[in-house]
Amino acid sequence: MRNIARIVAIIVMMLPAALTCRSQIISAGGESVSSDSVRNAFDNGPYFGLYKDNYFIFGTSVGPKPTVKNTNIKFQISIAQRLTRSTLPWGTYLYLFYTQKCFWNVLENSMPMTDLNFNPGIGLTKPLFVKNRYIGKVSLILEHESNGRDGLASRSWNRVSLAGNIMIDPNFIVHGKVWIPIIDGMNNRDILDYCGLFEVGTSLTSANKRFGFAVSLTKRRGWKPNYNTVLEFNYRIFKRDNQFLFVQYYNGYGEGLLAYKEFHSSLRVGIVIKPRLFSDY
């Protein structure tokens, strides 16, 4: 709880900077986006869109010798559907979220998909406007995650998550997410020791929006400074498109549910499609 309090304090301290940032006019994919257009997007649609990053990447372990077992494709599909036409109390909107992550061992015989993770959720999202400036959003989400398998290979858990994205600057965003876990999987009672209790991170983009860098840290349970770390670099292929060349480095546990207790240090390269303004985590 002490670590969680520190994260909340950091986000609160960053809010004054966000309130004075240059976020009334921001840029996405080479086009200017005003706070009015963001309001209209929340009020009038589109109702269906991207949620987290959608990517397709290929790579291998860092450190151990590459083999057909530790070299694979990792891909993620993530979407959001707004369920309410009108604004709900406190200026919120009800969304249905769905993310699916897959590990595909394409170099092995029959090319098996070794681990599929399903992550549906439903929750309220509130866009944050201060002095006619769009500075980000907060979401309260009830989500489930499982690998859809039974027996000894079954993994599942639920959580109530509070997530926030704050635009300190149009090119500098901080994000945080904390959750209350509800663990119902008989074979993953210790999942918090590996998948953690909260995550924080930041993303930076160049002034022309062509280059981007992001880091995300997930704190595993316990008082030790133990984190699952994700580093990402992206380069926009075409000036006005949201398709990027993508490099992702993962270091830690819990990358996939089936082998959540196994340590992975992996580097993968591929393509990512990003949401319009910023990615959720």
Side-chain angles (χ1 to χ4, degrees), residues 30-279:
E31 62 175 312
S32 296
V33 181
S34 68
S35 57
D36 289 337
S37 67
V38 175
R39 288 182 189 272
N40 290 333
F42 274 99
D43 290 339
N44 303 313
Y47 292 94
F48 179 82
L50 301 183
Y51 176 37
K52 301 179 182 180
D53 285 349
N54 286 251
Y55 55 75
F56 193 91
I57 51 180
F58 174 81
T60 189
S61 293
V62 175
K65 180 181 178 180
T67 67
V68 296
K69 293 289 187 180
N70 61 23
T71 303
N72 59 20
I73 286 174
K74 176 184 177 183
F75 65 86
Q76 177 171 281
I77 300 170
S78 186
I79 55 176
Q81 171 69 40
R82 182 176 150 194
L83 299 178
T84 53
R85 178 177 295 273
S86 58
T87 306
L88 299 178
W90 303 293
T92 61
Y93 302 85
L94 182 64
Y95 279 86
L96 181 67
F97 304 105
Y98 180 75
T99 301
Q100 182 173 314
K101 182 169 58 179
C102 177
F103 297 86
W104 186 10
N105 286 25
V106 293
L107 300 183
E108 293 188 48
N109 291 334
S110 77
M111 298 190 294
M113 293 188 177
T114 57
D115 191 12
L116 281 80
N117 298 173
F118 306 94
N119 181 204
I122 188 170
L124 296 170
T125 292
K126 177 179 175 59
L128 301 176
F129 296 94
V130 176
K131 297 180 179 179
N132 202 35
R133 292 184 172 91
Y134 177 63
I135 65 167
K137 66 180 181 180
V138 293
S139 299
L140 181 65
I141 308 169
L142 175 62
E143 53 185 321
H144 170 79
E145 187 174 19
S146 67
N147 63 351
R149 302 175 70 169
D150 58 9
L152 295 177
S154 175
R155 308 281 188 270
S156 68
W157 66 318
N158 306 291
R159 53 189 181 179
V160 180
S161 303
L162 178 64
N165 295 270
I166 302 296
M167 301 177 66
I168 304 302
D169 182 89
N171 302 318
F172 176 35
I173 297 171
V174 296
H175 65 85
K177 186 176 184 180
V178 60
W179 49 82
I180 300 173
I182 306 169
I183 302 172
D184 58 353
M186 295 301 296
N187 300 314
N188 52 264
R189 292 293 186 183
D190 58 352
I191 195 169
L192 299 182
D193 295 334
Y194 300 91
C195 295
L197 283 165
F198 66 87
E199 66 180 30
V200 293
T202 185
S203 63
L204 300 169
T205 57
S206 61
N208 62 4
K209 301 297 182 180
R210 298 299 294 271
F211 296 91
F213 173 78
V215 58
S216 180
L217 303 174
T218 300
K219 178 66 179 69
R220 301 195 294 271
R221 182 163 57 185
W223 299 110
K224 296 181 180 179
N226 50 358
Y227 296 88
N228 300 328
T229 304
V230 182
L231 302 177
E232 297 175 339
F233 174 80
N234 54 263
Y235 171 73
R236 189 185 298 273
I237 301 174
F238 302 106
K239 186 176 181 179
R240 295 187 177 275
D241 289 350
N242 67 338
Q243 300 177 42
F244 299 78
L245 294 176
F246 187 55
V247 179
Q248 183 190 78
Y249 172 66
Y250 190 97
N251 182 276
Y253 297 87
E255 185 177 19
L257 282 180
L258 183 62
Y260 71 95
K261 293 184 181 182
E262 296 180 10
F263 177 83
H264 292 100
S265 181
S266 302
L267 182 66
R268 299 182 178 91
V269 180
I271 297 291
V272 64
I273 301 172
K274 288 182 167 292
R276 190 182 187 199
L277 295 180
F278 51 75
S279 303

